[in-house]
Amino acid sequence: MDYKTVEVKEDIIRRNDSTADLLRAELKKKNIFFINLMASPGSGKTTLLLHLLPILKKKYRIAVMEADIDSEVDAITISKQLDIKTLQIHTGGACHLTAQMVEDALKDFDLSDIDLLILENIGNLVCPAEFDTGANMNLVLLSIPEGDDKPLKYPLMFEVASMVVATKYDTREVFDFDVEKFHQNVRKRNKDAEIFETASIEGYGIEDVAKALDKRISNYLN
Ligand SMILES: Nc1nc2c(ncn2[C@@H]2O[C@H](COP(=O)(O)OP(=O)(O)OP(=O)(O)O)[C@@H](O)[C@H]2O)c(=O)[nH]1
Ligand SMILES: [Mg+2]
């Protein structure tokens, strides 16, 4: 049979990059700092936000976009517990968000009184890393139960990170997590990313993450 194969991935990613650049410029005009939060399913993204945002909320007006394949669970949790403006995005099966999907979602969102926009991306350690969402930084989490070797096995996620935060630090002994090895493995993928350890429920390390984020946000905003 006669057939043809067409490589489309590179073009999709190139087009996404230019949409992301335009979106970043639009948000800059509105004086909004945009954080893309990425990690595996159940790694503690929402729980970290629940403990981190009350600190950042003292200084910044925050909105959260929750991206999931389905359900409103995380959006309801954030808006109820933190009284923060929240938007739920459904991808209908897709395992990542493109910049276009973010831009489309933001059309229905009033950003006029917002300084800080946070996207909790779909729980996935692979696909979301491939797509620039238009964010100013990628905040990547790795939960202790996943293991200290994950930066070696899922390189791109750790390469695109500005900050890497280990979560569920309270479980490190049960899961035999080697913190030094974790740092070394992140460094193999990324020379510059700031690295933190947190246990959200106990509040461990949260102030340090908030301080580091505050520095980046305040440097960016007018
Ligand atoms: N022991 C411990 N458990 C935690 C910690 N942070 C989160 N968890 C638990 O981990 C589970 C998943 O947490 P979520 O915050 O829902 O994780 P998520 O990454 O937002 O999950 P998805 O949005 O479904 O991908 C919950 O049962 C949390 O209570 C922590 O610091 N320590
Ligand atoms: Mg969540």
Side-chain angles (χ1 to χ4, degrees), residues 142 144 147-152 158 163-167 169 172 177-198 204 208-209:
L142 175 69
I144 299 289
D148 50 48
D149 58 350
K150 291 305 164 287
L152 302 180
F158 295 88
M163 269 165 81
V164 177
V165 177
T167 59
Y169 194 62
R172 69 193 176 283
F177 187 93
D178 186 329
V179 176
E180 206 173 304
K181 236 188 236 166
F182 161 63
H183 280 246
Q184 286 167 3
N185 290 340
V186 172
R187 278 290 164 258
K188 281 183 189 158
R189 298 302 181 202
N190 191 319
K191 288 193 172 46
D192 303 317
E194 292 175 275
I195 307 174
F196 297 89
E197 282 83 47
T198 61
Y204 176 80
D208 293 338
V209 175

Side-chain angles (χ1 to χ4, degrees), residues 37 39-51 66-68 73-74 120-124 141 143 145 166-171 198-204 206:
L37 173 58
S40 299
S43 55
K45 297 180 291 300
T46 308
T47 310
L48 181 77
L49 292 179
L50 288 175
H51 292 81
E66 288 290 344
D68 285 288
V73 175
D74 286 351
E120 180 183 337
N121 213 315
I122 308 237
N124 188 311
L141 312 187
S143 66
T167 59
K168 310 191 187 183
Y169 194 62
D170 52 301
T171 68
T198 61
S200 297
I201 297 167
E202 293 176 355
Y204 176 80
I206 302 293

Side-chain angles (χ1 to χ4, degrees), residues 11-214:
D11 194 42
I12 290 170
I13 289 179
R14 205 173 32 237
R15 258 184 288 161
N16 182 71
D17 285 351
S18 55
T19 309
D21 285 340
L22 289 173
L23 178 57
R24 229 178 332 268
E26 273 306 305
L27 292 174
K28 175 72 181 162
K29 269 192 234 156
K30 295 187 164 92
N31 204 30
I32 294 171
F33 188 83
F34 178 19
I35 298 173
N36 177 29
L37 173 58
M38 296 188 286
S40 299
S43 55
K45 297 180 291 300
T46 308
T47 310
L48 181 77
L49 292 179
L50 288 175
H51 292 81
L52 184 66
L53 298 190
I55 304 173
L56 294 174
K57 205 180 149 193
K58 291 178 193 155
K59 188 164 170 189
Y60 302 107
R61 296 166 302 172
I62 304 172
V64 174
M65 285 189 286
E66 288 290 344
D68 285 288
I69 287 168
D70 204 349
S71 99
E72 282 80 36
V73 175
D74 286 351
I76 292 169
T77 304
I78 295 282
S79 62
K80 260 196 187 162
Q81 292 197 31
L82 299 182
D83 191 24
I84 279 177
K85 192 149 74 168
T86 310
L87 176 74
Q88 180 75 55
I89 304 174
H90 286 161
T91 64
C95 63
H96 63 270
L97 279 189
T98 61
Q100 189 63 56
M101 286 155 93
V102 175
E103 193 180 290
D104 289 348
L106 287 178
K107 280 180 189 140
D108 295 327
F109 210 35
D110 178 15
L111 292 172
S112 58
D113 56 353
I114 295 302
D115 312 302
L116 174 60
L117 177 65
I118 298 173
L119 166 65
E120 180 183 337
N121 213 315
I122 308 237
N124 188 311
L125 215 49
V126 183
C127 317
E130 293 197 49
F131 291 86
D132 185 345
T133 54
N136 299 107
M137 67 170 285
N138 292 319
L139 172 58
V140 171
L141 312 187
L142 175 69
S143 66
I144 299 289
E146 292 171 79
D148 50 48
D149 58 350
K150 291 305 164 287
L152 302 180
K153 299 174 94 171
Y154 301 89
L156 187 60
M157 184 56 82
F158 295 88
E159 283 167 23
V160 301
S162 306
M163 269 165 81
V164 177
V165 177
T167 59
K168 310 191 187 183
Y169 194 62
D170 52 301
T171 68
R172 69 193 176 283
E173 279 170 23
V174 185
F175 290 99
D176 201 18
F177 187 93
D178 186 329
V179 176
E180 206 173 304
K181 236 188 236 166
F182 161 63
H183 280 246
Q184 286 167 3
N185 290 340
V186 172
R187 278 290 164 258
K188 281 183 189 158
R189 298 302 181 202
N190 191 319
K191 288 193 172 46
D192 303 317
E194 292 175 275
I195 307 174
F196 297 89
E197 282 83 47
T198 61
S200 297
I201 297 167
E202 293 176 355
Y204 176 80
I206 302 293
E207 281 284 350
D208 293 338
V209 175
K211 238 184 244 167
L213 287 173
D214 179 27

